[in-house]
């Protein structure tokens, strides 16, 4: 991996943030999370038998982030919220250095599987998960317990954008130090050095023995090129090589076998006004309509397909279809037709009924091929130790 520059660490001024310290209650998404179990015996700190010598924070952080940036992968467990004030979710994720990720997120009693790869996020969950998200889709009946492409807001986090080890090291290295000295702290039975970062409650805990980052509590974990990010409180551990291999094997198998039939929840697809159906001699019928981002809050570009059925009890059914790409906030015109082409010596009159259904695709055939190719390249780079840049979040946002 390319080295990460951490020279931006410095003591700085106050920034208004709201994450958690190890000895107070953190308000994540309007919920109170009791962090008293961070100390053995409850919320009261144990008295130290003797005063520990002050430890300089900057060298600890420099070394810890240098080590973090060299991880093949990391395991992150804890809590996330899409933003301050959003719903808190428990999560467990394994993230490779190239950004490929797999794991679970839990909202209340509902657990969902999540994978993130090649700039795309997919979630597999029961119907209740999507209902809690307020998701409405023309193909919603296909969402239950199937893979569905999702936005980072729906997942609560884009692991590729903020948790790939070199990216996370860069983000943390860009935060100023609030104090020049680290504080010794017993964290879940492990001696650590707590480092206070810019903002009242942004903190990092570094294992006193291994020198590795053990926990982070960050109000807004903003990607290097981003403007906003999730609120997190995560325990971090270096992933073993076998775990990274299993990560790639699992995501590649899912992409090959299951994502080709996935749907897309990032845009609420709906009709704009009334569709138009016309029939001429033949009967030769045409169906035309415009679809739009019905909620106006979608993200990316979604592949949309329209399937139309024309029917008459005497002459049967004819079908046609059209497809295109709907961009968030935009519209898409769709049109197709079918010709019965009935030849008769006498004039006949038929009443034709028409109906249309809309569906989305989370991954087209061409996208599936390019995604598998990218995964193979990232797997080889990760496991061989070659330099491989992490995935760019813009691809997920762009909906390629």
């Amino acid at each position: 991996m390319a080295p990460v520059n951490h020279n931006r660490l410095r003591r700085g001024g106050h920034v208004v943030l709201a994450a958690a310290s190890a000895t107070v209650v953190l308000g994540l998404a309007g919920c109170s999370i009791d962090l008293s179990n961070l100390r053995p015996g409850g919320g009261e700190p144990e008295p130290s038998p003797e005063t520990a010598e002050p430890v300089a924070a900057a060298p600890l952080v420099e070394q810890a982030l240098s080590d973090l940036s060299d991880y093949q992968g990391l395991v992150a467990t804890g809590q996330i919220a899409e933003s301050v004030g959003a719903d808190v979710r428990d999560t467990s994720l394994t993230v490779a250095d190239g950004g490929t990720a797999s794991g679970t997120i839990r909202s209340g009693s509902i657990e969902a599987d999540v994978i993130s790869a090649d700039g795309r996020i997919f979630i597999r969950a029961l119907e209740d998960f999507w209902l809690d998200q307020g998701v409405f889709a023309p193909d919603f009946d296909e969402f239950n317990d199937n893979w569905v492409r999702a936005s980072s807001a729906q997942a609560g986090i884009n692991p590729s954008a903020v948790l790939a080890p070199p990216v996370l090291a860069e983000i943390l290295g860009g935060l100023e130090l609030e104090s020049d000295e680290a504080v010794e702290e017993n964290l879940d039975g492990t001696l650590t050095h707590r480092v206070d970062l810019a903002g009242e409650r942004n903190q990092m805990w570094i294992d006193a023995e291994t020198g590795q980052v053990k926990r982070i509590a960050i109000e807004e974990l903003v990607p290097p090129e981003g403007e906003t990010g999730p609120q997190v409180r995560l325990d971090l551990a270096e992933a073993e090589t076998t775990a990274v291999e299993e990560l790639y094997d699992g995501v590649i198998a899912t992409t090959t076998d299951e994502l080709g039939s996935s749907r897309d929840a990032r845009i609420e697809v709906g009709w704009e006004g009334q569709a138009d159906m016309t029939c001429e001699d033949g009967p030769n019928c045409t169906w035309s309509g415009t679809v739009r981002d019905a909620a106006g809050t979608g993200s990316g570009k979604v592949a949309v397909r329209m399937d139309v059925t024309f029917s008459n009890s005497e002459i049967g059914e004819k079908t046609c279809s059209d497809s295109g790409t709907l961009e968030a906030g935009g519209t898409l015109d769709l049109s197709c037709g079918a010709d019965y082409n009935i030849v008769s010596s006498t004039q006949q009159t038929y009443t034709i009924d028409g109906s249309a259904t809309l569906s989305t695709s989370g991954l087209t055939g061409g996208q599936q091929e390019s995604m598998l190719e990218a995964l193979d390249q990232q797997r080889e780079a990760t496991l061989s130790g070659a330099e491989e840049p992490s995935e760019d979040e813009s691809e997920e946002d762009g909906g390629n």
Side-chain angles (χ1 to χ4, degrees):
M1 299 305 301
V4 176
N5 183 357
H6 305 301
N7 292 332
R8 295 174 64 190
L9 282 168
R10 60 193 183 277
R11 184 168 182 176
H14 175 76
V15 179
V16 178
L17 299 171
S21 79
T23 58
V24 300
V25 172
L26 160 65
L28 251 179
C31 299
S32 293
I33 303 171
D34 186 0
L35 305 186
S36 62
N37 62 349
L38 297 184
R39 296 182 180 277
E44 293 299 324
E46 293 183 350
S48 300
E50 58 183 47
T51 303
E53 291 293 327
V55 179
L60 285 175
V61 174
E62 292 283 353
Q63 186 58 54
L65 296 187
S66 177
D67 291 346
L68 174 60
S69 68
D70 289 335
Y71 288 2
Q72 286 185 328
L74 64 79
V75 178
T77 57
Q79 294 178 313
I80 59 171
E82 187 259 329
S83 61
V84 176
D87 291 338
V88 178
R89 298 178 180 181
D90 295 324
T91 189
S92 177
L93 295 163
T94 301
V95 190
D97 60 1
T100 298
S102 177
T104 60
I105 54 176
R106 178 180 289 275
S107 178
S109 61
I110 305 172
E111 184 169 275
D113 298 318
V114 59
I115 59 175
S116 176
D118 196 30
R120 301 176 175 92
I121 302 172
F122 292 86
I123 292 175
R124 181 175 61 189
L126 297 179
E127 183 181 87
D128 288 349
F129 174 88
W130 299 106
L131 290 174
D132 284 351
Q133 300 265 338
V135 171
F136 301 94
D139 46 4
F140 184 79
D141 56 347
E142 299 293 332
F143 282 23
N144 185 59
D145 208 22
N146 291 316
W147 287 105
V148 177
R149 189 166 178 189
S151 65
S152 57
Q154 290 165 337
I157 192 171
N158 182 347
S160 301
V162 294
L163 293 182
V167 176
L168 179 57
E170 180 181 353
I171 296 171
L172 296 175
L175 299 176
E176 299 175 347
L177 294 176
E178 184 71 17
S179 172
D180 291 333
E181 295 180 353
V183 178
E184 272 196 6
E185 189 164 297
N186 188 324
L187 186 66
D188 298 335
T190 300
L191 182 63
T192 64
H193 293 107
R194 192 192 76 230
V195 178
D196 296 328
L197 303 171
E200 293 182 359
R201 301 163 192 161
N202 282 353
Q203 295 172 325
M204 180 191 318
W205 287 262
I206 298 173
D207 191 303
E209 180 179 355
T210 66
Q212 294 182 320
V213 180
K214 185 173 178 63
R215 176 176 291 173
I216 57 173
I218 307 295
E219 183 192 35
E220 193 172 18
L221 197 64
V222 182
E225 304 301 324
E227 296 181 357
T228 62
Q231 185 178 16
V232 304
R233 192 195 69 174
L234 296 170
D235 289 338
L236 306 179
E238 184 175 7
E240 296 181 355
T241 299
T242 54
V244 176
E245 291 174 339
E246 291 173 358
L247 163 65
Y248 277 110
D249 290 346
V251 174
I252 289 172
T254 298
T255 303
T256 302
D257 300 333
E258 301 182 61
L259 295 191
S261 60
S262 63
R263 304 298 184 175
D264 200 323
R266 294 174 300 149
I267 295 178
E268 184 181 323
V269 179
W271 292 108
E272 181 175 68
Q274 297 292 323
D276 181 50
M277 174 181 162
T278 59
C279 289
E280 299 177 353
D281 291 346
N284 185 359
C285 297
T286 300
W287 182 288
S288 300
T290 299
V291 294
R292 65 187 178 99
D293 178 356
T297 57
S299 66
K301 300 176 183 178
V302 171
V304 179
R305 177 185 172 98
M306 176 184 73
D307 289 286
V308 179
T309 300
F310 302 104
S311 61
N312 176 275
S313 59
E314 296 180 53
I315 58 177
E317 292 185 351
K318 290 284 186 178
T319 61
C320 66
S321 65
D322 192 16
S323 60
T325 301
L326 176 63
E327 188 169 0
T331 60
L332 171 66
D333 294 327
L334 297 172
S335 180
C336 71
D339 189 353
Y340 283 87
N341 197 26
I342 296 175
V343 177
S344 174
S345 58
T346 60
Q347 185 175 2
Q348 302 287 330
T349 300
Y350 301 98
T351 299
I352 307 296
D353 295 321
S355 62
T357 59
L358 297 174
S359 60
T360 61
S361 176
L363 199 66
T364 64
Q367 292 169 354
Q368 187 178 35
E369 291 179 7
S370 64
M371 185 169 170
L372 286 170
E373 182 179 353
L375 282 167
D376 285 337
Q377 292 174 352
Q378 290 165 18
R379 187 184 194 278
E380 182 179 357
T382 296
L383 297 177
S384 67
E387 294 184 3
E388 175 72 16
S390 63
E391 298 159 359
D392 187 352
E393 185 183 16
S394 64
E395 191 170 352
E396 188 270 328
D397 288 340
N400 291 331

